Amino acid sequence: MENELKTITPAEVEKLLKEGKNISIIDVRENEEVEAGKIPEAKHIRLMEIPDRLNEIEKDEEHIMVCRSGRRSENAGYFLQEQGYIVKNMVGGMLEWDGQTK
């Protein structure tokens, strides 16, 4: 890939949330995965739905992509980056998330 995808760690995401930063988190997991718990601030858009729901994703703000392990969110991140979005992938995904879930 010519444009490397930026990454962020789960701990860094948690710190931003604790500091009250207004950040956009997009969880691309399947419905049943999200039902088991997601980051409360995250918006759920399944990976397969992203191309059809681009209108829900702000072009002028940075988005943090999340999935179970970081693989699907990486794919989503590259796709969005190609569409001109500013994105970071949360490496390690929800497997590494120690923060709150709901």
Side-chain angles (χ1 to χ4, degrees):
M1 296 276 176
E2 65 287 345
N3 281 345
E4 211 41 51
L5 190 64
K6 290 194 175 85
T7 59
I8 188 167
T9 67
E12 288 170 325
V13 173
E14 194 178 353
K15 184 171 182 285
L16 291 172
L17 291 171
K18 281 205 170 101
E19 290 169 357
K21 297 274 191 288
N22 187 14
I23 57 173
S24 167
I25 301 170
I26 300 175
D27 191 324
V28 301
R29 295 175 301 157
E30 294 300 312
N31 296 342
E32 58 275 13
E33 293 177 283
V34 167
E35 282 163 20
K38 75 173 182 66
I39 300 168
E41 294 81 1
K43 180 182 180 80
H44 180 219
I45 304 180
R46 287 171 48 230
L47 181 60
M48 300 309 295
E49 294 175 355
I50 284 186
D52 299 327
R53 294 177 64 184
L54 288 175
N55 61 321
E56 297 176 43
I57 304 171
E58 290 291 328
K59 253 297 175 35
D60 53 4
E61 92 184 72
E62 183 178 81
H63 305 281
I64 297 167
M65 309 307 292
V66 175
C67 71
R68 191 181 74 91
S69 67
R71 176 68 56 217
R72 281 172 289 174
S73 54
E74 182 180 58
N75 292 338
Y78 275 120
F79 172 78
L80 286 170
Q81 195 165 267
E82 283 163 16
Q83 312 299 312
Y85 289 86
I86 311 159
V87 286
K88 280 184 183 163
N89 184 34
M90 187 174 93
V91 290
M94 292 303 287
L95 292 174
E96 305 284 326
W97 178 254
D98 293 325
Q100 283 186 309
T101 58
K102 68 164 193 179

